[in-house]
Amino acid sequence: MEGHVARQGKQIKLAILKALQEIGEAAGAARINDVLVASGLVLQPRTVRFYLLQLDREGLTRFVSRRRGREITARGREELAHANVIDKVGFVASKIDSLGYRMTFSVSAGRGTIITNVAMIPRGYFARALEDMKHVFVRGLGMGTKLAVAREEEVLGGLTVPADMVALGTVCSVTVNGILLEQGIPVTSRFGGLLELRDWRPVRFVELIEYRGTTLDPLETFIQAGMTRVRECARSGNGIIGASFREFPSVALDDVLSLKKKMEQHGLGGLLAIGHPNQPLFDIPVAEGRTGMIVVGGLNPVAALHEAGARVSIQSLAGLEEFSMFQQFQLIRDRFGG
C-alpha cells in the first residue's frame, strides 16, 4: 500500500512539472491545475499546492512571487527528462481512458466536449498550412472534416498559444471512444500504427505499437520519425497513414454501425473499417466476443505539414475542447486561405 502511494505521488509530481514546462512561464496553482485537468488528471487545488511545496523543497520548482507563482528549475527539467521510464509505461493508455470518460459530447445533440490534438505553427505559415492539409481533409484521411484554430494568447485544448504562433486543433481519434462510451459501449484501444493504403483501400498495418506498453503516443512518434506518407496518399491513393486498432463488444455491432453514420453527419468521420465478430481484422486477432475496428489517425493532417518540411510542434491528446470550437475545414480555408 505504501509503495502504491509513493508511486502515485511521484506520478503527480511529474505531471505538475510537465504542466509547468508546457505553460512555459511561472504559474500559480490554479493555472497549473487547469492544465492538469485538461490532460486528464483531476486533483483538488489543495493537493496541487501540497505537491508544489514538496517540489520546492526538492529544488525542482522555485517560488517566484505571490502574483506569478512558481517556475520549473533546471533541475526540475532534468528530472522530467530522465524520469523513470517504467513509471511512464501505460501513461498514454491511461490518458486515453481518462479523456474518453470525461468527454461530454452527445452525438444526438451535437454538442459537448471532444478530445483535441494541438499543433503549433508559425503565424506566417498559416495560409500555406491550410493548402498543405487540404487534400488530407478532402480525401477523408483525418478524423472527419473539422478543424479548430486559435491565435496568440488564446487557449485551445488547455494550451495557451505563444506569440507569433497559431494553434491548429484536429479531432483526436480517441473521441470515438468517448462517443461510444456515452452510448454505453466500452472500447479497448489496443494499437497505434501505420496503415498502408493502395488505390484508396486499406491493405495492412506496417507498424504497430501497443498503447499499454508505450510512454509516447505512437502516431506522434511515427510523424516525428518521418515514417508517414500522408501527403503522397492524399494525392495518389497510395501511401502510409496513421491509424489505430480498437475493439468493442460484438453485441454492440449494430449500434456502432448506426453511430458511425451519426458521427459522419457531424463531420466526425474516421471509422475506416469495422470487422466481423470474433474474426481478425487486417490479420490482427480479437478476443472472443469482440469486434475490431480501424480508426483513422486524427494527426494525419499534421503529418502532412511535417512531411512538407514545416516547423510544427505537436501535442497529441492535448485535452478536451468544446465541439463548437471546430469548424468545417473548407470554411476555414475559404476565409483564411491564400
Side-chain angles (χ1 to χ4, degrees):
M1 181 66 179
E2 291 181 1
H4 171 73
V5 172
R7 285 194 300 272
Q8 185 181 48
K10 185 174 182 179
Q11 290 170 349
I12 291 173
K13 286 192 281 189
L14 286 172
I16 291 173
L17 289 175
K18 185 177 180 182
L20 274 172
Q21 183 167 269
E22 288 180 0
I23 291 170
E25 60 184 10
R31 188 176 176 189
I32 294 170
N33 197 42
D34 287 343
V35 175
L36 294 175
V37 170
S39 70
L41 181 59
V42 180
L43 299 174
Q44 294 293 327
R46 64 175 179 273
T47 303
V48 176
R49 289 192 290 270
F50 169 78
Y51 281 106
L52 281 170
L53 289 173
Q54 286 195 4
L55 290 167
D56 285 349
R57 287 194 290 268
E58 294 170 17
L60 304 179
T61 57
R62 183 177 71 88
F63 181 76
V64 178
S65 68
R66 186 176 297 276
R67 182 179 65 85
R68 294 181 59 199
R70 287 173 172 82
E71 64 182 7
I72 186 170
T73 63
R75 184 176 171 186
R77 295 182 189 279
E78 183 178 352
E79 174 71 14
L80 199 56
H82 297 90
N84 191 336
V85 173
I86 298 301
D87 287 344
K88 296 180 182 178
V89 170
F91 173 76
V92 173
S94 298
K95 192 171 184 179
I96 285 172
D97 292 342
S98 175
L99 289 173
Y101 178 78
R102 293 175 50 237
M103 256 182 58
T104 63
F105 181 78
S106 167
V107 73
S108 57
R111 60 176 179 269
T113 57
I114 61 175
I115 304 167
T116 183
N117 307 304
V118 174
M120 299 286 184
I121 62 171
R123 183 175 57 189
Y125 174 59
F126 180 40
R128 179 64 203 176
L130 295 177
E131 289 302 307
D132 287 337
M133 292 188 292
K134 175 182 66 176
H135 293 291
V136 181
F137 280 99
V138 169
R139 294 297 185 177
L141 298 182
M143 252 300 298
T145 57
K146 290 180 175 284
L147 183 74
V149 177
R151 304 295 187 135
E152 182 178 328
E153 296 188 357
E154 294 179 341
V155 178
L156 183 64
L159 302 177
T160 302
V161 184
D164 298 320
M165 301 291 280
V166 172
L168 304 177
T170 62
V171 178
C172 179
S173 64
V174 181
T175 294
V176 173
N177 296 34
I179 290 174
L180 268 61
L181 187 60
E182 196 260 344
Q183 296 293 314
I185 305 171
V187 177
T188 301
S189 296
R190 291 185 58 195
F191 304 103
L194 295 177
L195 184 69
E196 181 181 0
L197 269 65
R198 296 180 191 164
D199 296 325
W200 305 109
R201 297 174 64 86
V203 177
R204 58 173 180 151
F205 276 101
V206 296
E207 296 287 349
L208 284 174
I209 295 178
E210 186 176 5
Y211 282 113
R212 297 197 178 277
T214 181
T215 64
L216 302 169
D217 179 86
L219 183 50
E220 183 178 343
T221 302
F222 291 137
I223 293 171
Q224 300 286 14
M227 297 171 67
T228 60
R229 296 294 181 270
V230 175
R231 281 167 59 84
E232 177 185 339
C233 190
R235 286 167 170 77
S236 69
N238 302 303
I240 305 292
I241 68 170
S244 60
F245 186 89
R246 300 176 191 182
E247 290 182 0
F248 61 87
S250 296
V251 293
L253 179 56
D254 289 342
D255 290 333
V256 171
L257 292 172
S258 176
L259 284 169
K260 179 178 182 291
K261 295 179 181 178
K262 293 179 180 178
M263 287 170 57
E264 290 169 349
Q265 292 170 0
H266 291 297
L268 293 175
L271 295 183
L272 189 60
I274 297 175
H276 299 286
N278 310 318
Q279 298 297 313
L281 181 59
F282 294 108
D283 296 324
I284 300 178
V286 296
E288 184 70 23
R290 309 286 288 181
T291 296
M293 65 178 174
I294 308 297
V295 184
V296 173
L299 280 173
N300 283 334
V302 179
L305 303 184
H306 190 272
E307 292 167 20
R311 180 166 63 89
V312 54
S313 172
I314 305 171
Q315 179 65 56
S316 61
L317 292 161
L320 300 175
E321 188 55 75
E322 290 292 335
F323 183 61
S324 59
M325 280 287 293
F326 291 79
Q327 302 177 51
Q328 288 291 336
F329 174 79
Q330 188 57 49
L331 294 178
I332 295 174
R333 182 167 171 263
D334 290 344
R335 181 180 178 188
F336 298 108

